[in-house]
Amino acid sequence: MSTRSQSATNFSEEVQRHSVHTLVFRSLKRTHDMFLSCQGMLPPIDEEAEKIKKLVKARDCYGLVFDKVERNKINMKKSQPNHPKSDSLDIYKDNHLPLAITDNPEKVNKNTETSMVLSSPSTQNIAAANRLINHIMPKPKWHPPWKLYRVISGHLGWVRCVTVEPGNEWFATGAADRVIKIWDLATGKLKLSLTGHVSTVRGLQVSPRHPYLFSCGEDRQVKCWDLEHNKVVRHYHGHLSAVYSLALHPTIDVLLTAGRDSTARVWDMRTKANVHTLTGHTNTVASVVAHEFEPQVLTGSHDCTIRLWDLAAGKTRATLTNHKKSVRSLVLHPKVYMFASASPDNIKQWTCPDGKFVQNLTGHNAIVNCMAVNSDGVLMSGANNGSMYAWDWRTGYNFQRMQAPVQPGSMDSEAGVFAMAFDNSGTRLITAEADKTIKLYREDDTATEESHPINWKPDIIRRRKY
């Protein structure tokens, strides 16, 4: 037998000397010895610290309740000077009043006997709770439901973007067939087709001050079309990959684009110069919007963040990290100094200029591709599965849910809503969809508050949940 075979035999005998049970026990003992000093001898709980922690949490969650209850106790003591000084709870028991929040405690004290006859303490508790809910979350404004009134066919591929002309006479759409089509808003008839892109058109904007239409696409091209001659007059070169979104600054001649190269770029509209390259996102920038006031540029990305930019410096002003999934759409309210962001986890509302969180709009459990908001406070959201939700901007109440009908001959999977826009009057909604159609919606004139009542169930926790 060779030396190698002998050493192998000795090694196998050494391994087999100890049973599996012994080896496992040794391993457990080593683990126990290692973690004994960390977990086996924890310091005693500081009761005072625990008490302070609970008080802080209670004050944070129920501060309004505590303040109003204390105010009620003080007012009741003032209204009963002859009553012996005792605990506030005894005063409530003697008067048979509930421990509740009331809008006018003094009035309740004066009408104690009447309130005892009219309602029980439990009823008063419920009424007081309702008053508190109405104070924290006001009842939503009634909006008429929206209904489909026109379907336009003409594109040969998925319709990916839509924009309305400032004069409200026509709108433009871009699609995967590489064609930009211009449609009459009143009749839905095709007016013009513009060809020039060599890949899917992903973004369109019409300038409010110039006869220009701007477009971008997956061919990395950003084009400026002269609408008087219907031809391309400028190209903006610089993006390294597909360009997914573009926006025009409302007051200065600046164009903003964003795409798959994780950057947003600021262009001088006339000289075609790349003024700034806004870097910081770590994934595709899916949406960019421009604002007249600070922050003038906002971007939403697949890296789950929203960035607010200082346009003059070309640097990030704030980064919002509340979303847990890709941010695919941003929209600015036309009247209120706020904006909303859409993600598969939920829709969030924020205030400008610092991006302070306001509330979540939950319930649209799908990949939300697009949003639009009108001056009446109606926020519409469209998703990959063809679902469309209508929300009241102020309260976040979801007053309507629709499913976009698929064009006959299309697959059910081609029900996605990729883009949407209100016309300038806010009374018509245009959607661009995966079944190669454009759909137009308007408010139902026959609906009333009685036929479509507000089914309002406020969720106080939703406002505090990030």
Side-chain angles (χ1 to χ4, degrees):
M1 186 182 292
S2 65
T3 307
R4 181 177 294 179
S5 61
Q6 279 183 346
S7 61
T9 306
N10 294 335
F11 180 71
S12 62
E13 288 176 357
E14 285 180 8
V15 171
Q16 292 173 1
R17 261 180 216 166
H18 305 292
S19 65
V20 175
H21 180 271
T22 306
L23 294 173
V24 170
F25 178 76
R26 283 185 179 178
S27 177
L28 287 172
K29 188 173 183 304
R30 289 195 198 98
T31 306
H32 177 266
D33 293 340
M34 180 182 294
F35 292 105
L36 179 64
S37 58
C38 300
Q39 304 293 331
M41 296 177 288
L42 294 174
I45 296 174
D46 188 343
E47 295 183 1
E48 188 66 24
E50 285 291 311
K51 185 179 178 182
I52 292 171
K53 179 182 175 183
K54 288 179 181 178
L55 287 173
V56 169
K57 282 192 174 182
R59 170 58 64 180
D60 181 53
C61 294
Y62 304 106
L64 286 172
V65 178
F66 291 161
D67 293 340
K68 285 208 169 189
V69 169
E70 289 299 325
R71 209 176 302 130
N72 290 352
K73 291 178 184 178
I74 294 168
N75 289 331
M76 289 199 65
K77 285 182 179 179
K78 289 180 180 178
S79 63
Q80 296 185 1
N82 299 326
H83 197 283
K85 292 184 179 179
S86 62
D87 191 2
S88 302
L89 292 175
D90 296 333
I91 293 174
Y92 277 99
K93 289 176 183 175
D94 292 341
N95 288 282
H96 304 285
L97 288 173
L99 286 168
I101 305 164
T102 54
D103 286 337
N104 192 349
E106 294 177 359
K107 184 177 178 181
V108 175
N109 292 331
K110 292 176 183 176
N111 301 320
T112 302
E113 296 179 2
T114 309
S115 61
M116 286 168 56
V117 174
L118 293 177
S119 61
S120 64
S122 60
T123 308
Q124 290 183 358
N125 270 321
I126 294 169
N130 288 334
R131 282 194 292 272
L132 175 63
I133 288 171
N134 287 330
H135 173 69
I136 296 175
M137 292 191 65
K139 191 173 182 180
K141 177 184 174 183
W142 182 80
H143 300 282
W146 292 72
K147 63 178 182 180
L148 177 69
Y149 77 95
R150 179 173 291 143
V151 179
I152 301 173
S153 299
H155 279 292
L156 302 178
W158 289 359
V159 189
R160 299 305 302 245
C161 53
V162 60
T163 187
V164 181
E165 179 255 338
N168 217 35
E169 294 181 356
W170 52 266
F171 66 95
T173 55
D177 58 5
R178 310 182 299 279
V179 180
I180 300 168
K181 290 182 181 287
I182 294 176
W183 312 84
D184 186 271
L185 185 57
T187 63
K189 292 182 179 179
L190 179 65
K191 298 181 72 172
L192 184 68
S193 293
L194 300 174
T195 57
H197 281 280
V198 295
S199 189
T200 304
V201 182
R202 293 295 295 265
L204 290 171
Q205 285 288 324
V206 182
S207 173
R209 297 189 307 280
H210 312 290
Y212 292 149
L213 168 69
F214 294 87
S215 65
C216 65
E218 293 181 7
D219 52 7
R220 298 181 292 178
Q221 295 185 36
V222 181
K223 297 176 183 287
C224 174
W225 302 79
D226 187 333
L227 295 174
E228 292 178 347
H229 301 91
N230 299 329
K231 64 179 183 179
V232 178
V233 292
R234 293 188 189 96
H235 289 87
Y236 301 87
H237 296 288
H239 276 284
L240 306 176
S241 190
V243 188
Y244 284 168
S245 178
L246 64 81
L248 292 172
H249 195 283
T251 57
I252 58 177
D253 291 342
V254 163
L255 170 69
L256 300 120
T257 57
R260 207 166 61 193
D261 58 3
S262 307
T263 66
R265 294 176 185 265
V266 183
W267 309 89
D268 186 302
M269 192 184 292
R270 295 187 177 279
T271 65
K272 302 179 286 185
N274 188 179
V275 180
H276 292 303
T277 300
L278 307 179
T279 57
H281 285 293
T282 58
N283 208 327
T284 300
V285 183
S287 180
V288 59
V289 292
H291 205 229
E292 182 179 353
F293 310 104
E294 295 294 339
Q296 296 184 59
V297 181
L298 301 90
T299 55
S301 171
H302 287 195
D303 64 7
C304 312
T305 66
I306 302 160
R307 285 180 180 260
L308 316 181
W309 301 87
D310 184 334
L311 182 58
K315 295 181 180 179
T316 303
R317 176 178 178 145
T319 304
L320 312 179
T321 59
N322 301 45
H323 279 289
K324 303 298 183 291
K325 295 185 179 180
S326 302
V327 181
R328 291 172 180 258
S329 179
L330 296 175
V331 66
L332 295 165
H333 195 286
K335 287 186 174 180
V336 184
Y337 199 29
M338 293 175 65
F339 69 96
S341 58
S343 176
D345 52 6
N346 50 38
I347 297 169
K348 294 181 186 291
Q349 289 178 333
W350 317 80
T351 59
C352 297
D354 299 320
K356 185 179 179 183
F357 174 81
V358 177
Q359 65 178 351
N360 281 329
L361 277 59
T362 56
H364 205 161
N365 298 319
I367 297 174
V368 181
N369 290 321
C370 54
M371 293 187 297
V373 61
N374 65 9
S375 57
D376 196 35
V378 175
L379 174 67
M380 301 292 291
S381 59
N384 255 3
N385 57 4
S387 61
M388 292 171 56
Y389 283 24
W391 314 80
D392 176 56
W393 178 278
R394 182 163 170 249
T395 60
Y397 168 63
N398 176 214
F399 67 88
Q400 187 182 8
R401 299 184 178 188
M402 297 180 284
Q403 183 68 35
V406 180
Q407 189 181 31
S410 299
M411 296 183 292
D412 290 338
S413 59
E414 289 187 326
V417 182
F418 289 133
M420 58 173 53
F422 282 103
D423 73 341
N424 295 329
S425 67
T427 58
R428 289 172 287 191
L429 177 71
I430 307 164
T431 62
E433 306 195 6
D435 61 356
K436 306 172 188 175
T437 65
I438 301 133
K439 296 185 175 70
L440 279 77
Y441 297 81
R442 65 184 172 199
E443 293 178 342
D444 189 352
D445 297 333
T446 62
T448 62
E449 292 192 46
E450 289 74 26
S451 63
H452 293 79
I454 294 175
N455 182 22
W456 184 64
K457 296 178 182 178
D459 181 7
I460 299 175
I461 300 173
R462 175 168 58 84
R463 279 189 162 244
R464 305 190 63 87
K465 184 179 178 184
Y466 282 71

